[in-house]
Amino acid sequence: MKIELKLKPQSERRQDVFKPEKPLPFGQLRTDHMFLADYADGVWKDPRIVPYGNFSIAPGATSLHYSQEIFEGAKAFMHPDGEIYSFRIDKNARRMNISAEIVCMPKIDEELQIDGIQRLIDVDRKWFPVQEGASLYIRPFMFGTEDMLGVKPSKTFTYAVILSPSGPYYPKGITEPVKLLISDRFHRAAPGGTGAAKTGGNYAASLRAGEYAYSKGASQVLYLDCTNTYIEECGAMNHYHVMKDGTVVIPEFTETILRAITSESVIELQKELGRKVIQQKIKIEDFIKGVENGEIIEAGGFGTAAVVSPVGTYIFEDGRELKVGDGKIGSVSKSIYEYYTGIQTGRVKAPAGWLRKAERY
């Protein structure tokens, strides 16, 4: 499907390569344009790149009332050759359609998603921040637009992609581990729900838990399943831990755990990383015992924004603290972070198909 370009006049677009003088925040800036496509009468149509701007949406749109919305998060990086490469966006396109199916939205052709992202990166390539560790954060999203107050799926939708020039999630690298709250009062998802979808409603429901965690001195909540038996996620990331023998353990993906692309990639990279990576159900009581007896020496979260977020301490509701290892960032977590970001930035050879160069059209 041909993508139409309806760009800003050249005089109103960024003229010079973006060279920020200060460390950039994550996710706050926008580029000049966005990619859009509309769905109506059973088909996607009018793919286009237009100036970044506000949407005109009916007050009764289903996305505003019933959270019929999904989104993705990916990154693109400038490599030593001066070209910009997106990282594993085919996986994001595939997961977008999985989320769409779960919340009764239309699938959108994966190649159209990828083409739209790549063309948008090319149009706004001067916005790439030339700064150590920086990236273009890619945010595809889709939302229901039908003006209808009945509780049923929308018949019309908009798909969009915006870009955010961003500094690294950790400006100084991963130098300090975070704290997580172990609590049985909050649950991210339940079987038969939307836990495996990347939909806004899941994140809205997590805000209260996050605020509670902050009040207890933690960065986020370690979510358990609805029976308070098994570990699920840590905040908006997949959880992981490292055994004394170096094995990395990730909770197995279920309908209540989002399939993180970072986790999938770490699993695929286990040979290159030189360590075993397994998935299994993890009882919280076994995890706590493992940390206490030294069988578990590292833990943390995997996700797009931070890549690896090591946890040094788990906090309980009664104020007790459980230190992982020596409470510092472990060598396994650090090696995964360095190898993974090395692939993203072109310093380490990537597996075939993981990187896509933004061609100059």
Side-chain angles (χ1 to χ4, degrees):
M1 197 179 300
K2 184 178 179 182
I3 297 173
E4 186 176 3
L5 302 184
K6 302 178 180 180
L7 308 182
K8 286 183 174 182
Q10 191 66 40
S11 61
E12 297 178 16
R13 296 166 60 183
R14 169 165 283 281
Q15 301 296 310
D16 302 316
V17 173
F18 186 26
K19 296 181 179 180
E21 296 179 358
K22 299 179 180 179
L24 287 181
F26 182 84
Q28 293 185 14
L29 299 181
R30 304 289 178 265
T31 64
D32 287 327
H33 298 89
M34 58 186 180
F35 174 80
L36 299 176
D38 300 310
Y39 181 89
D41 302 320
V43 296
W44 285 101
K45 57 187 178 181
D46 194 20
R48 61 206 184 273
I49 293 177
V50 302
Y52 181 89
N54 295 338
F55 291 113
S56 177
I57 187 172
T62 58
S63 56
L64 299 179
H65 297 266
Y66 307 123
S67 298
Q68 197 176 21
E69 180 272 351
I70 57 177
F71 68 98
E72 276 297 323
K75 289 180 178 178
F77 300 84
M78 183 173 288
H79 285 201
D81 63 2
E83 298 295 335
I84 301 172
Y85 294 79
S86 57
F87 180 77
R88 307 215 78 179
I89 56 172
D90 57 318
K91 301 279 283 186
N92 294 98
R94 193 170 306 127
R95 191 172 64 178
M96 173 71 81
N97 283 338
I98 292 172
S99 295
E101 187 172 10
I102 291 173
V103 294
C104 299
M105 300 173 77
K107 293 183 179 181
I108 180 168
D109 182 77
E110 291 178 16
E111 285 305 312
L112 177 59
Q113 293 185 57
I114 292 169
D115 289 347
I117 291 170
Q118 296 293 87
R119 288 297 299 270
L120 182 61
I121 291 173
D122 177 53
V123 165
D124 280 345
R125 65 172 58 247
K126 287 185 177 179
W127 273 99
F128 189 93
V130 181
Q131 187 177 83
E132 181 65 28
S135 66
L136 275 179
Y137 182 75
I138 304 164
R139 172 50 61 86
F141 58 104
M142 187 197 306
F143 55 96
T145 58
E146 185 176 359
D147 190 351
M148 172 191 65
L149 297 182
V151 184
K152 57 183 180 179
S154 177
K155 294 179 181 178
T156 59
F157 298 86
T158 292
Y159 170 83
V161 182
I162 59 176
L163 302 176
S164 177
S166 295
Y169 196 83
Y170 297 113
K172 297 180 181 178
I174 52 171
T175 57
E176 293 293 332
V178 301
K179 293 183 178 182
L180 284 185
L181 174 70
I182 297 177
S183 172
D184 59 9
R185 70 171 65 190
F186 299 105
H187 298 94
R188 178 185 167 275
T194 61
K198 201 166 177 66
T199 179
N202 290 343
Y203 291 77
S206 74
L207 297 177
R208 183 170 61 132
E211 290 298 308
Y212 182 75
Y214 301 150
S215 74
K216 294 291 186 178
S219 298
Q220 258 298 352
V221 168
L222 176 66
Y223 288 107
L224 308 179
D225 75 325
C226 58
T227 69
N228 293 321
T229 304
Y230 296 99
I231 290 175
E232 293 209 324
E233 298 200 352
C234 56
M237 307 179 78
N238 280 174
H239 192 263
Y240 75 89
H241 68 258
V242 181
M243 304 299 294
K244 189 165 58 176
D245 66 0
T247 299
V248 179
V249 185
I250 302 170
E252 66 180 48
F253 298 134
T254 65
E255 62 178 336
T256 55
I257 296 178
L258 183 70
R259 185 180 289 266
I261 292 166
T262 308
S263 293
E264 290 188 318
S265 299
V266 169
I267 293 168
E268 293 176 46
L269 287 171
Q270 56 183 297
K271 182 178 179 181
E272 290 81 357
L273 290 167
R275 61 190 69 259
K276 186 178 180 181
V277 184
I278 63 173
Q279 285 189 285
Q280 61 187 35
K281 285 192 171 183
I282 304 160
K283 288 186 175 181
I284 183 61
E285 62 179 34
D286 292 340
F287 175 75
I288 292 171
K289 288 178 183 176
V291 174
E292 288 176 334
N293 64 27
E295 287 298 316
I296 294 174
I297 59 172
E298 299 179 34
F302 291 141
T304 297
V307 180
V308 179
S309 186
V311 174
T313 306
Y314 291 84
I315 304 173
F316 295 91
E317 290 272 11
D318 61 7
R320 290 182 299 124
E321 294 193 357
L322 176 67
K323 185 166 68 173
V324 185
D326 61 3
K328 299 179 181 179
I329 296 172
S331 60
V332 176
S333 298
K334 188 174 182 180
S335 67
I336 292 173
Y337 176 81
E338 291 176 347
Y339 195 89
Y340 197 91
T341 55
I343 290 174
Q344 291 179 318
T345 55
R347 301 190 307 271
V348 174
K349 182 176 174 57
W354 282 33
L355 301 171
R356 290 175 185 257
K357 179 181 174 181
E359 301 294 344
R360 298 173 183 267
Y361 293 94

